[in-house]
Amino acid sequence: MFSDADAAALYDVLNPWAPDHHPGDRFYDDLIMAADSVLDIGCGTGAMLHLAREQGHRGRLVGLDPDRAALDRARRRADIEWVEGTAAEASSGADFDLATMTGHAFQFLVTDEEVRASLAAIHGALRRGGRFVFETRHPQARAWEEWNASPPEDLVDAHGRALRVWHEVDSVIGDVVTFHETTAARDGTVLRIDHASLRFLDVAVLNGFLGGVGFEIEAQYGDWHGGAINADSREIITVACRR
């Protein structure tokens, strides 16, 4: 048995939040520490906001996520607001300085309707001049082609279980990639299979969605060091502003 709570705990093992070691985490950490109020959409287990509090952030921090098991872990800190819900359910008029969506979470918005509704809600949750910062994988890098070829990741979870995790692509239809993640014991016994779909938007389409709800593009980068988007970029890192 590998429960939702087990999966949430495993996420922290697979994806530790570490600004000292990962430039993407440092990019967001700097923004959060400089903002008075932050809405983290798709906050998961809350590691990013936990660290902000530990580093002395004294403003309003809110995490929003539809995954109840992940939020149960996030709620280990009671000095942060945790809200169960989707991006499209972000509260209007909340006057946040900054909204974030990390870990390529934006790509889980698959349909045009989901994208528009989510962006409209995020726009409404920001004060005028507030920024929405997020990243999505650049489709030109075709990252999904590497997933089947990548070797399984061996690790030990918080309960001391030796596990093996891997990803396999099920389909690529237009700009939507459907895949599954398998969690197994080291002897190959499958414990859990999770299915998901991700949308790979190119820059023009992405910016069209943002402009359609009133966002202005302040900056876009192709890497975590502030480089311009070019033919080799694997990321589209966007800073969008509510005017």
Side-chain angles (χ1 to χ4, degrees):
M1 183 66 181
F2 201 80
S3 67
D4 289 346
D6 291 330
L10 181 61
Y11 181 88
D12 283 339
V13 176
L14 288 166
N15 304 278
W17 188 258
D20 290 341
H21 300 287
H22 302 303
D25 296 356
R26 184 166 58 251
F27 177 89
Y28 283 108
D29 190 61
D30 290 344
L31 290 169
I32 290 165
M33 296 306 294
D36 290 334
S37 55
V38 180
L39 172 64
D40 183 25
I41 302 148
C43 66
T45 60
M48 183 174 74
L49 297 184
H50 285 184
L51 181 60
R53 274 287 186 251
E54 290 168 12
Q55 294 176 150
H57 194 292
R58 295 184 179 180
R60 186 184 182 197
L61 299 177
V62 179
L64 174 68
D65 200 285
D67 186 332
R68 185 170 299 178
L71 284 179
D72 285 344
R73 287 185 62 79
R75 289 187 173 111
R76 290 175 296 174
R77 284 200 73 111
D79 54 358
I80 299 169
E81 298 172 53
W82 305 107
V83 180
E84 185 176 339
T86 66
E89 296 170 315
S91 297
S92 179
D95 288 333
F96 286 101
D97 295 312
L98 175 68
T100 58
M101 208 167 185
T102 68
H104 302 106
F106 187 85
Q107 291 186 251
F108 285 94
L109 305 175
V110 173
T111 68
D112 288 358
E113 291 75 15
E114 286 177 307
V115 174
R116 291 192 185 101
S118 298
L119 288 176
I122 295 165
H123 185 273
L126 291 167
R127 64 169 177 79
R128 291 197 177 275
R131 294 185 291 174
F132 173 39
V133 185
F134 66 101
E135 86 286 340
T136 182
R137 299 175 184 87
H138 202 309
Q140 70 183 5
R142 303 179 69 84
W144 62 88
E145 294 182 349
E146 303 169 3
W147 296 346
N148 286 356
S150 297
E153 184 169 356
D154 289 339
L155 67 153
V156 177
D157 75 357
H159 299 289
R161 291 175 292 195
L163 301 174
R164 181 164 291 169
V165 178
W166 67 91
H167 300 87
E168 296 175 90
V169 174
D170 300 311
S171 67
V172 181
I173 301 174
D175 56 12
V176 177
V177 176
T178 300
F179 69 101
H180 63 274
E181 176 186 86
T182 302
T183 303
R186 292 285 177 85
D187 64 5
T189 301
V190 173
L191 303 175
R192 183 183 178 98
I193 298 177
D194 291 292
H195 297 268
S197 294
L198 300 176
R199 189 170 183 183
F200 287 73
L201 294 173
D202 64 26
V203 175
V205 175
L206 175 62
N207 290 353
F209 279 122
L210 287 162
V213 301
F215 275 114
E216 180 177 306
I217 306 301
E218 182 177 305
Q220 282 184 313
Y221 309 112
D223 61 54
W224 294 111
H225 303 287
I229 296 174
N230 57 39
D232 296 319
S233 298
R234 298 183 63 84
E235 301 282 351
I236 305 169
I237 302 159
T238 300
V239 180
C241 185
R242 176 181 178 175
R243 296 301 185 189

